[in-house]
Amino acid sequence: MDGSDDDDVPELSAHTLAALQEFYAEQEQQESLKSGPDYDQFSVGAVEEDWQLSQFWYDNETALCLAKEALEASGENRRIACISAPSIYQKLKGLAGDDVSICLLEYDKRFSVYGDDFILYDYNNPLDLPDKLQPHSCDIVLADPPYLSEECLTKTAETIQYLTKEKILLCTGAVMEDLVTKILGLKVCKFIPRHTRSLANEFRCYSNYETGLDS
């Protein structure tokens, strides 16, 4: 065979190639950090984003603000549930003492490294939960539905309403505001959550109580 078949091989644009090189460099850096003495399994980004699962981590400042708010709102009992919000869970674990109970409801089994805190969760089966998660057993539920769709929000809302005693803190796209108000009765906060990567959709926080995020 001669070299004419090479013409059929698609060539990557310079922009795409640069993006791929940056991605692989980040992956390599992450792996090297994991083997280092200072590796923190609860740092945001300790588990890499999986874009196919619509995972986009908050930046450190946003994760810290939301984690502090959840701790403050959890009151004396200090039981917190994070639904599809692993970066908030990670930040909470770095802040909370032994008197705080935090669980992570998450579809991605990589987060099972967090032991008993991890609860396998699929929003398509919103009430398929273990017995240890009793109705209205959490002082606050913080959720970040993985998809900007009415179906995903509606089903995640079932889980939220089942678990929370009252307080809800939700992060999702600004385009979902009307549905968030209709389904959960939440109001938008002034605080704007930010991610480590720029997203096409603007994000907002919503709550059903007066938070400290806007002060």
Side-chain angles (χ1 to χ4, degrees), residues 22-46:
E22 181 183 0
F23 173 75
Y24 287 124
E26 286 180 2
Q27 294 284 331
E28 195 172 314
Q29 183 182 31
Q30 287 282 355
E31 290 303 317
S32 65
L33 286 173
K34 287 180 181 180
S35 60
D38 297 326
Y39 175 65
D40 178 7
Q41 67 167 332
F42 292 116
S43 64
V44 175

PDB file of all heavy atoms in Angstrom, residues 22-46:
ATOM      1  N   GLU A  22      -3.239  19.850  27.220  1.00  0.00           N
ATOM      2  CA  GLU A  22      -3.479  20.415  28.557  1.00  0.00           C
ATOM      3  C   GLU A  22      -4.191  19.402  29.451  1.00  0.00           C
ATOM      4  O   GLU A  22      -3.858  19.235  30.618  1.00  0.00           O
ATOM      5  CB  GLU A  22      -4.323  21.686  28.446  1.00  0.00           C
ATOM      6  CG  GLU A  22      -4.600  22.350  29.795  1.00  0.00           C
ATOM      7  CD  GLU A  22      -5.497  23.571  29.666  1.00  0.00           C
ATOM      8  OE1 GLU A  22      -5.901  23.899  28.533  1.00  0.00           O
ATOM      9  OE2 GLU A  22      -5.809  24.180  30.704  1.00  0.00           O
ATOM     10  N   PHE A  23      -5.170  18.699  28.871  1.00  0.00           N
ATOM     11  CA  PHE A  23      -5.927  17.694  29.623  1.00  0.00           C
ATOM     12  C   PHE A  23      -5.008  16.578  30.110  1.00  0.00           C
ATOM     13  O   PHE A  23      -5.033  16.198  31.288  1.00  0.00           O
ATOM     14  CB  PHE A  23      -7.035  17.116  28.743  1.00  0.00           C
ATOM     15  CG  PHE A  23      -7.761  15.950  29.363  1.00  0.00           C
ATOM     16  CD1 PHE A  23      -8.681  16.141  30.371  1.00  0.00           C
ATOM     17  CD2 PHE A  23      -7.500  14.644  28.928  1.00  0.00           C
ATOM     18  CE1 PHE A  23      -9.350  15.068  30.946  1.00  0.00           C
ATOM     19  CE2 PHE A  23      -8.157  13.578  29.495  1.00  0.00           C
ATOM     20  CZ  PHE A  23      -9.089  13.782  30.508  1.00  0.00           C
ATOM     21  N   TYR A  24      -4.179  16.051  29.211  1.00  0.00           N
ATOM     22  CA  TYR A  24      -3.277  14.964  29.603  1.00  0.00           C
ATOM     23  C   TYR A  24      -2.229  15.432  30.602  1.00  0.00           C
ATOM     24  O   TYR A  24      -1.821  14.674  31.495  1.00  0.00           O
ATOM     25  CB  TYR A  24      -2.618  14.354  28.361  1.00  0.00           C
ATOM     26  CG  TYR A  24      -3.552  13.502  27.539  1.00  0.00           C
ATOM     27  CD1 TYR A  24      -3.767  13.765  26.185  1.00  0.00           C
ATOM     28  CD2 TYR A  24      -4.244  12.435  28.122  1.00  0.00           C
ATOM     29  CE1 TYR A  24      -4.650  12.992  25.439  1.00  0.00           C
ATOM     30  CE2 TYR A  24      -5.123  11.668  27.373  1.00  0.00           C
ATOM     31  CZ  TYR A  24      -5.320  11.943  26.044  1.00  0.00           C
ATOM     32  OH  TYR A  24      -6.197  11.182  25.304  1.00  0.00           O
ATOM     33  N   ALA A  25      -1.796  16.670  30.491  1.00  0.00           N
ATOM     34  CA  ALA A  25      -0.839  17.215  31.452  1.00  0.00           C
ATOM     35  C   ALA A  25      -1.463  17.294  32.844  1.00  0.00           C
ATOM     36  O   ALA A  25      -0.825  16.970  33.849  1.00  0.00           O
ATOM     37  CB  ALA A  25      -0.371  18.594  31.004  1.00  0.00           C
ATOM     38  N   GLU A  26      -2.748  17.705  32.893  1.00  0.00           N
ATOM     39  CA  GLU A  26      -3.456  17.769  34.176  1.00  0.00           C
ATOM     40  C   GLU A  26      -3.608  16.371  34.772  1.00  0.00           C
ATOM     41  O   GLU A  26      -3.449  16.181  35.986  1.00  0.00           O
ATOM     42  CB  GLU A  26      -4.833  18.403  33.988  1.00  0.00           C
ATOM     43  CG  GLU A  26      -4.794  19.904  33.757  1.00  0.00           C
ATOM     44  CD  GLU A  26      -6.175  20.484  33.588  1.00  0.00           C
ATOM     45  OE1 GLU A  26      -7.154  19.726  33.692  1.00  0.00           O
ATOM     46  OE2 GLU A  26      -6.283  21.699  33.355  1.00  0.00           O
ATOM     47  N   GLN A  27      -3.929  15.398  33.920  1.00  0.00           N
ATOM     48  CA  GLN A  27      -4.078  14.017  34.394  1.00  0.00           C
ATOM     49  C   GLN A  27      -2.766  13.512  34.987  1.00  0.00           C
ATOM     50  O   GLN A  27      -2.748  12.872  36.042  1.00  0.00           O
ATOM     51  CB  GLN A  27      -4.509  13.106  33.231  1.00  0.00           C
ATOM     52  CG  GLN A  27      -5.880  13.400  32.676  1.00  0.00           C
ATOM     53  CD  GLN A  27      -6.987  12.899  33.564  1.00  0.00           C
ATOM     54  OE1 GLN A  27      -6.817  11.929  34.277  1.00  0.00           O
ATOM     55  NE2 GLN A  27      -8.118  13.562  33.550  1.00  0.00           N
ATOM     56  N   GLU A  28      -1.681  13.798  34.301  1.00  0.00           N
ATOM     57  CA  GLU A  28      -0.358  13.352  34.755  1.00  0.00           C
ATOM     58  C   GLU A  28      -0.003  14.012  36.083  1.00  0.00           C
ATOM     59  O   GLU A  28       0.530  13.367  36.998  1.00  0.00           O
ATOM     60  CB  GLU A  28       0.676  13.709  33.688  1.00  0.00           C
ATOM     61  CG  GLU A  28       2.010  12.999  33.855  1.00  0.00           C
ATOM     62  CD  GLU A  28       2.933  13.244  32.669  1.00  0.00           C
ATOM     63  OE1 GLU A  28       2.470  13.129  31.514  1.00  0.00           O
ATOM     64  OE2 GLU A  28       4.107  13.549  32.918  1.00  0.00           O
ATOM     65  N   GLN A  29      -0.334  15.290  36.196  1.00  0.00           N
ATOM     66  CA  GLN A  29      -0.051  16.012  37.442  1.00  0.00           C
ATOM     67  C   GLN A  29      -0.867  15.441  38.593  1.00  0.00           C
ATOM     68  O   GLN A  29      -0.367  15.266  39.707  1.00  0.00           O
ATOM     69  CB  GLN A  29      -0.360  17.502  37.268  1.00  0.00           C
ATOM     70  CG  GLN A  29      -0.026  18.338  38.508  1.00  0.00           C
ATOM     71  CD  GLN A  29      -0.387  19.793  38.313  1.00  0.00           C
ATOM     72  OE1 GLN A  29      -1.325  20.126  37.597  1.00  0.00           O
ATOM     73  NE2 GLN A  29       0.342  20.677  38.959  1.00  0.00           N
ATOM     74  N   GLN A  30      -2.143  15.129  38.326  1.00  0.00           N
ATOM     75  CA  GLN A  30      -3.002  14.549  39.360  1.00  0.00           C
ATOM     76  C   GLN A  30      -2.438  13.228  39.868  1.00  0.00           C
ATOM     77  O   GLN A  30      -2.416  12.957  41.065  1.00  0.00           O
ATOM     78  CB  GLN A  30      -4.415  14.324  38.806  1.00  0.00           C
ATOM     79  CG  GLN A  30      -5.227  15.597  38.620  1.00  0.00           C
ATOM     80  CD  GLN A  30      -5.801  16.115  39.917  1.00  0.00           C
ATOM     81  OE1 GLN A  30      -5.671  15.488  40.954  1.00  0.00           O
ATOM     82  NE2 GLN A  30      -6.420  17.281  39.859  1.00  0.00           N
ATOM     83  N   GLU A  31      -1.986  12.386  38.944  1.00  0.00           N
ATOM     84  CA  GLU A  31      -1.452  11.088  39.336  1.00  0.00           C
ATOM     85  C   GLU A  31      -0.182  11.241  40.170  1.00  0.00           C
ATOM     86  O   GLU A  31       0.039  10.508  41.133  1.00  0.00           O
ATOM     87  CB  GLU A  31      -1.164  10.238  38.091  1.00  0.00           C
ATOM     88  CG  GLU A  31      -2.424   9.777  37.364  1.00  0.00           C
ATOM     89  CD  GLU A  31      -3.359   8.990  38.245  1.00  0.00           C
ATOM     90  OE1 GLU A  31      -2.880   8.124  39.016  1.00  0.00           O
ATOM     91  OE2 GLU A  31      -4.569   9.244  38.196  1.00  0.00           O
ATOM     92  N   SER A  32       0.669  12.204  39.810  1.00  0.00           N
ATOM     93  CA  SER A  32       1.902  12.407  40.565  1.00  0.00           C
ATOM     94  C   SER A  32       1.601  12.934  41.963  1.00  0.00           C
ATOM     95  O   SER A  32       2.270  12.572  42.936  1.00  0.00           O
ATOM     96  CB  SER A  32       2.824  13.373  39.821  1.00  0.00           C
ATOM     97  OG  SER A  32       2.253  14.659  39.727  1.00  0.00           O
ATOM     98  N   LEU A  33       0.558  13.776  42.083  1.00  0.00           N
ATOM     99  CA  LEU A  33       0.187  14.302  43.395  1.00  0.00           C
ATOM    100  C   LEU A  33      -0.321  13.197  44.316  1.00  0.00           C
ATOM    101  O   LEU A  33      -0.077  13.209  45.521  1.00  0.00           O
ATOM    102  CB  LEU A  33      -0.895  15.378  43.241  1.00  0.00           C
ATOM    103  CG  LEU A  33      -0.434  16.737  42.690  1.00  0.00           C
ATOM    104  CD1 LEU A  33      -1.642  17.631  42.434  1.00  0.00           C
ATOM    105  CD2 LEU A  33       0.535  17.409  43.653  1.00  0.00           C
ATOM    106  N   LYS A  34      -1.021  12.233  43.756  1.00  0.00           N
ATOM    107  CA  LYS A  34      -1.591  11.150  44.562  1.00  0.00           C
ATOM    108  C   LYS A  34      -0.512  10.312  45.226  1.00  0.00           C
ATOM    109  O   LYS A  34      -0.751   9.689  46.257  1.00  0.00           O
ATOM    110  CB  LYS A  34      -2.484  10.259  43.685  1.00  0.00           C
ATOM    111  CG  LYS A  34      -3.801  10.902  43.317  1.00  0.00           C
ATOM    112  CD  LYS A  34      -4.630   9.976  42.451  1.00  0.00           C
ATOM    113  CE  LYS A  34      -5.941  10.617  42.043  1.00  0.00           C
ATOM    114  NZ  LYS A  34      -6.763   9.745  41.192  1.00  0.00           N
ATOM    115  N   SER A  35       0.653  10.264  44.615  1.00  0.00           N
ATOM    116  CA  SER A  35       1.731   9.455  45.181  1.00  0.00           C
ATOM    117  C   SER A  35       2.614  10.260  46.124  1.00  0.00           C
ATOM    118  O   SER A  35       3.554   9.729  46.710  1.00  0.00           O
ATOM    119  CB  SER A  35       2.584   8.859  44.053  1.00  0.00           C
ATOM    120  OG  SER A  35       3.153   9.899  43.266  1.00  0.00           O
ATOM    121  N   GLY A  36       2.319  11.547  46.263  1.00  0.00           N
ATOM    122  CA  GLY A  36       3.139  12.414  47.111  1.00  0.00           C
ATOM    123  C   GLY A  36       2.729  12.352  48.565  1.00  0.00           C
ATOM    124  O   GLY A  36       1.615  11.938  48.904  1.00  0.00           O
ATOM    125  N   PRO A  37       3.594  12.785  49.475  1.00  0.00           N
ATOM    126  CA  PRO A  37       3.326  12.719  50.914  1.00  0.00           C
ATOM    127  C   PRO A  37       2.240  13.692  51.369  1.00  0.00           C
ATOM    128  O   PRO A  37       1.641  13.497  52.426  1.00  0.00           O
ATOM    129  CB  PRO A  37       4.684  13.085  51.542  1.00  0.00           C
ATOM    130  CG  PRO A  37       5.373  13.907  50.486  1.00  0.00           C
ATOM    131  CD  PRO A  37       4.923  13.334  49.174  1.00  0.00           C
ATOM    132  N   ASP A  38       1.984  14.725  50.585  1.00  0.00           N
ATOM    133  CA  ASP A  38       1.009  15.740  50.980  1.00  0.00           C
ATOM    134  C   ASP A  38      -0.372  15.512  50.361  1.00  0.00           C
ATOM    135  O   ASP A  38      -1.236  16.386  50.434  1.00  0.00           O
ATOM    136  CB  ASP A  38       1.513  17.136  50.578  1.00  0.00           C
ATOM    137  CG  ASP A  38       2.804  17.504  51.288  1.00  0.00           C
ATOM    138  OD1 ASP A  38       2.975  17.094  52.451  1.00  0.00           O
ATOM    139  OD2 ASP A  38       3.650  18.184  50.661  1.00  0.00           O
ATOM    140  N   TYR A  39      -0.583  14.354  49.773  1.00  0.00           N
ATOM    141  CA  TYR A  39      -1.866  14.089  49.104  1.00  0.00           C
ATOM    142  C   TYR A  39      -3.006  14.071  50.108  1.00  0.00           C
ATOM    143  O   TYR A  39      -2.933  13.425  51.152  1.00  0.00           O
ATOM    144  CB  TYR A  39      -1.806  12.752  48.361  1.00  0.00           C
ATOM    145  CG  TYR A  39      -3.126  12.346  47.753  1.00  0.00           C
ATOM    146  CD1 TYR A  39      -3.702  13.101  46.737  1.00  0.00           C
ATOM    147  CD2 TYR A  39      -3.793  11.215  48.199  1.00  0.00           C
ATOM    148  CE1 TYR A  39      -4.911  12.733  46.172  1.00  0.00           C
ATOM    149  CE2 TYR A  39      -5.005  10.839  47.639  1.00  0.00           C
ATOM    150  CZ  TYR A  39      -5.558  11.598  46.630  1.00  0.00           C
ATOM    151  OH  TYR A  39      -6.757  11.231  46.080  1.00  0.00           O
ATOM    152  N   ASP A  40      -4.070  14.806  49.806  1.00  0.00           N
ATOM    153  CA  ASP A  40      -5.250  14.884  50.662  1.00  0.00           C
ATOM    154  C   ASP A  40      -6.440  14.332  49.892  1.00  0.00           C
ATOM    155  O   ASP A  40      -6.890  14.930  48.922  1.00  0.00           O
ATOM    156  CB  ASP A  40      -5.495  16.343  51.068  1.00  0.00           C
ATOM    157  CG  ASP A  40      -6.742  16.519  51.931  1.00  0.00           C
ATOM    158  OD1 ASP A  40      -7.346  15.500  52.316  1.00  0.00           O
ATOM    159  OD2 ASP A  40      -7.105  17.671  52.202  1.00  0.00           O
ATOM    160  N   GLN A  41      -6.966  13.199  50.346  1.00  0.00           N
ATOM    161  CA  GLN A  41      -8.058  12.561  49.608  1.00  0.00           C
ATOM    162  C   GLN A  41      -9.347  13.376  49.663  1.00  0.00           C
ATOM    163  O   GLN A  41     -10.272  13.152  48.880  1.00  0.00           O
ATOM    164  CB  GLN A  41      -8.332  11.158  50.161  1.00  0.00           C
ATOM    165  CG  GLN A  41      -8.888  11.131  51.576  1.00  0.00           C
ATOM    166  CD  GLN A  41      -9.423   9.765  51.947  1.00  0.00           C
ATOM    167  OE1 GLN A  41      -9.856   8.998  51.082  1.00  0.00           O
ATOM    168  NE2 GLN A  41      -9.408   9.452  53.243  1.00  0.00           N
ATOM    169  N   PHE A  42      -9.417  14.356  50.573  1.00  0.00           N
ATOM    170  CA  PHE A  42     -10.615  15.178  50.681  1.00  0.00           C
ATOM    171  C   PHE A  42     -10.461  16.542  50.011  1.00  0.00           C
ATOM    172  O   PHE A  42     -11.334  17.396  50.129  1.00  0.00           O
ATOM    173  CB  PHE A  42     -11.001  15.374  52.156  1.00  0.00           C
ATOM    174  CG  PHE A  42     -11.468  14.111  52.823  1.00  0.00           C
ATOM    175  CD1 PHE A  42     -10.756  13.573  53.880  1.00  0.00           C
ATOM    176  CD2 PHE A  42     -12.601  13.455  52.390  1.00  0.00           C
ATOM    177  CE1 PHE A  42     -11.171  12.409  54.497  1.00  0.00           C
ATOM    178  CE2 PHE A  42     -13.032  12.287  52.991  1.00  0.00           C
ATOM    179  CZ  PHE A  42     -12.315  11.753  54.053  1.00  0.00           C
ATOM    180  N   SER A  43      -9.361  16.771  49.319  1.00  0.00           N
ATOM    181  CA  SER A  43      -9.215  18.034  48.612  1.00  0.00           C
ATOM    182  C   SER A  43     -10.097  18.018  47.369  1.00  0.00           C
ATOM    183  O   SER A  43     -10.308  16.968  46.751  1.00  0.00           O
ATOM    184  CB  SER A  43      -7.757  18.273  48.221  1.00  0.00           C
ATOM    185  OG  SER A  43      -7.325  17.289  47.296  1.00  0.00           O
ATOM    186  N   VAL A  44     -10.646  19.199  47.028  1.00  0.00           N
ATOM    187  CA  VAL A  44     -11.467  19.297  45.829  1.00  0.00           C
ATOM    188  C   VAL A  44     -10.595  18.982  44.614  1.00  0.00           C
ATOM    189  O   VAL A  44      -9.540  19.570  44.430  1.00  0.00           O
ATOM    190  CB  VAL A  44     -12.071  20.714  45.704  1.00  0.00           C
ATOM    191  CG1 VAL A  44     -12.825  20.846  44.387  1.00  0.00           C
ATOM    192  CG2 VAL A  44     -12.991  21.011  46.876  1.00  0.00           C
ATOM    193  N   GLY A  45     -11.033  18.021  43.802  1.00  0.00           N
ATOM    194  CA  GLY A  45     -10.251  17.596  42.651  1.00  0.00           C
ATOM    195  C   GLY A  45      -9.436  16.343  42.915  1.00  0.00           C
ATOM    196  O   GLY A  45      -8.752  15.858  42.013  1.00  0.00           O
ATOM    197  N   ALA A  46      -9.495  15.817  44.161  1.00  0.00           N
ATOM    198  CA  ALA A  46      -8.776  14.574  44.457  1.00  0.00           C
ATOM    199  C   ALA A  46      -9.295  13.442  43.571  1.00  0.00           C
ATOM    200  O   ALA A  46      -8.552  12.536  43.193  1.00  0.00           O
ATOM    201  CB  ALA A  46      -8.937  14.212  45.935  1.00  0.00           C
TER     202      ALA A  46
END
